[in-house]
Amino acid sequence: EVVKVRILEGWDSRKIAGYLKMTMEIDSARVIELTHDPSFISQNKLDVKSLEGYYYPDTYFFFKGESPSKVLKHFIAQHKLFWNETYHIRARQLKLTSHEIITLASIIEGEAIYNEERAKISAVYHNRLNINMKLQADPTIQYILDEKPRRLFNKDLRIKSPYNTYLNKGLPPGPINSPGKNSLLAALFPEENDFLYFVARGDGYHIFSTNKKDHDKAKRKFQKLRRKLKRERKKI
């Protein structure tokens, strides 16, 4: 029996493990184990601590009963196919390793809803990295929380973790999800702009600012909108 397996952009290894259990009856604990298994990682010729981010989002077809390692190998092989010489050269131009590009792409994946905003969001993070400013990326906090995405509180931003981009400068140690092709390309080819901030607009898009003052204004506008929507929902 052939099973269609669809890995979506932005899924992390836990989500992929749960999905494989559902679609292929694969032991999800084994998937998590292999994701962090040094010998399995080196079998796949990767020099990383975890395979988080290396399972390429795509549609696959497997025979039911395939081993977890075989399935994961396919995902990794597909990820490797993305990387051509041009992209490797481009990463070097940006003074980033491919692992750092994938890490950045995973943050972009966690932030962007619409394709046309990816390169712009990427630019904000590149601009911050270039001036040694903290990334302060909410998706990195969601990753530490290990629960369903929810509104973040100030106490969440103080959680001690190498993945906390509110506490630590630079990129986290590794990807926080599996970025798709569009986010990988956005990480490699950011838009040229001076933006250092962005905030949700409430419709999936963002307002971008070059300075803190404009950013705070945009933030207040969004909070006002959120309160208004809350009041309207209460009336229903």
Side-chain angles (χ1 to χ4, degrees):
E1 188 194 343
V2 173
V3 187
K4 181 179 175 182
V5 167
R6 203 163 152 235
I7 302 300
L8 293 188
E9 290 87 352
W11 279 6
D12 63 18
S13 52
R14 292 176 296 233
K15 179 103 183 167
I16 292 169
Y19 172 78
L20 289 176
K21 184 178 181 175
M22 210 170 61
T23 49
M24 290 186 70
E25 290 164 20
I26 279 176
D27 177 10
S28 54
R30 183 72 187 127
V31 172
I32 298 297
E33 213 173 280
L34 286 168
T35 300
H36 301 281
D37 177 354
S39 73
F40 181 64
I41 294 172
S42 67
Q43 269 172 42
N44 286 283
K45 301 189 171 43
L46 286 167
D47 182 20
V48 290
K49 290 204 166 48
S50 150
L51 292 165
E52 185 76 80
Y54 288 83
Y55 301 144
Y56 198 71
D58 208 344
T59 300
Y60 301 86
F61 293 92
F62 295 108
F63 288 109
K64 204 164 195 157
E66 289 261 39
S67 71
S69 59
K70 207 167 167 189
V71 170
L72 297 181
K73 270 186 176 141
H74 271 289
F75 298 162
I76 299 162
Q78 203 57 26
H79 171 92
K80 286 183 172 178
L81 281 178
F82 166 82
W83 287 94
N84 58 33
E85 197 43 42
T86 310
Y87 298 160
H88 281 298
I89 292 166
R90 178 63 185 151
R92 286 199 292 276
Q93 278 176 347
L94 293 165
K95 296 187 175 51
L96 294 170
T97 63
S98 54
H99 184 68
E100 288 170 326
I101 290 289
I102 300 158
T103 302
L104 179 55
S106 73
I107 296 176
I108 297 165
E109 194 67 75
E111 290 282 14
I113 292 174
Y114 297 110
N115 273 339
E116 61 263 38
E117 273 201 352
R118 286 180 209 274
K120 197 177 255 187
I121 288 172
S122 172
V124 171
Y125 290 129
H126 277 284
N127 293 343
R128 286 186 165 214
L129 286 171
N130 290 339
I131 60 169
N132 206 14
M133 179 178 172
K134 286 178 187 151
L135 294 184
Q136 299 189 324
D138 290 356
T140 63
I141 306 292
Q142 299 283 7
Y143 183 67
I144 308 166
L145 288 173
D146 190 15
E147 50 187 270
K148 281 196 169 61
R150 59 164 171 82
R151 201 172 151 197
L152 297 177
F153 302 107
N154 283 334
K155 68 171 190 334
D156 299 327
L157 311 183
R158 292 192 290 271
I159 299 170
K160 291 250 186 306
S161 161
Y163 284 87
N164 186 337
T165 54
Y166 276 84
L167 290 181
N168 310 299
K169 281 182 176 168
L171 287 159
I176 54 170
N177 60 44
S178 293
K181 184 184 172 184
N182 291 323
S183 290
L184 286 162
L185 287 173
L188 285 163
F189 301 99
E191 187 183 287
E192 296 249 336
N193 64 45
D194 299 324
F195 295 129
L196 285 173
Y197 301 91
F198 62 93
V199 65
R201 207 169 72 176
D203 60 356
Y205 287 94
H206 298 83
I207 295 167
F208 294 81
S209 321
T210 55
N211 60 74
K212 187 92 168 69
K213 197 175 143 207
D214 290 347
H215 175 60
D216 288 340
K217 208 160 93 184
K219 238 160 68 176
R220 283 194 296 274
K221 203 169 157 185
F222 175 60
Q223 279 153 358
K224 209 164 133 184
L225 176 77
R226 193 149 60 185
R227 283 194 297 270
K228 186 177 162 224
L229 290 172
K230 219 169 165 180
R231 281 198 303 272
E232 281 167 6
R233 271 203 299 270
K234 275 181 182 155
K235 280 179 197 162
I236 296 166

